[in-house]
Amino acid sequence: MAEHPHAALVRNGYEAFGAGDMETLAGLMTGDCVHHSPGESQMSGHFKGRDNILAHFGQLMELTHGTFRVELEGVYPDGRGHVMAVHKWHADRGDRGIEMKGGLFFTIVGDKATDVDECVEDIDECDAFWGQAE
C-alpha cells in the first residue's frame, strides 16, 4: 500500500530537517504556519510564520553547536488533516547532553502544514537543558 500523502509530507519534513535542507522544509509549510514548543525555556513559545519557525530551528542548531538531531520512530495520519509523528531527539549543550522521546502533532491543509504542536517526554528536563535566554 502507498503511504498516505499527509504521512509522506511529514516524513519528507523530517528528512529535510535532518539534512539541513531548509528550502525543502519551508516548502512544506504555509507562510503563516505556527509551531508551538512547550515549557518555559528560551526555546519555548509560539513561533508564528515560516521564517520564525526556520529561525527557531536555526537556534536549536546554534545552541547545540550542530549536535541537535532527531530520529523518526513513527508517522500516524488520521486521514482528516492531522498527523502525529513520534521521535527521539538528541543534543549536546555545554557540558550536558540530552536524549528524549517526543512528538509533533501536525495540522495539514491541502498539501502543507499549518500548525505544529510539539510534545516532549519531560518538560522540566527540557527547560533545564535549554535554559533561559542569555
Side-chain angles (χ1 to χ4, degrees):
M1 270 183 115
E3 184 172 45
H4 190 279
H6 292 164
L9 173 86
V10 169
R11 192 175 303 282
N12 290 341
Y14 271 85
E15 289 171 5
F17 181 89
D21 183 354
M22 295 301 114
E23 185 176 335
T24 295
L25 192 57
L28 302 175
M29 300 180 239
T30 60
D32 61 350
C33 185
V34 181
H35 181 105
H36 310 273
S37 291
E40 302 290 329
S41 77
Q42 65 180 320
M43 297 308 294
S44 302
H46 307 283
F47 302 90
K48 299 175 184 177
R50 181 175 33 225
D51 292 342
N52 288 326
I53 294 169
L54 294 176
H56 172 68
F57 294 162
Q59 190 176 13
L60 291 172
M61 293 302 178
E62 182 181 324
L63 290 173
T64 64
H65 299 285
T67 64
F68 188 90
R69 71 185 195 287
V70 178
E71 296 172 16
L72 184 61
E73 295 180 350
V75 179
Y76 311 105
D78 71 357
R80 298 183 317 272
H82 302 101
V83 176
M84 181 175 54
V86 179
H87 59 252
K88 186 183 292 181
W89 61 277
H90 312 260
D92 295 311
R93 184 162 185 255
D95 62 351
R96 144 178 224 164
I98 193 168
E99 176 179 298
M100 186 175 294
K101 292 182 180 182
L104 298 173
F105 184 79
F106 294 83
T107 300
I108 298 171
V109 175
D111 296 331
K112 297 193 186 269
T114 63
D115 195 80
V116 182
D117 282 296
E118 181 181 354
C119 299
V120 295
E121 186 174 41
D122 186 333
I123 293 172
D124 292 335
E125 181 63 24
C126 278
D127 285 347
F129 178 77
W130 292 117
Q132 297 302 309
E134 297 173 7

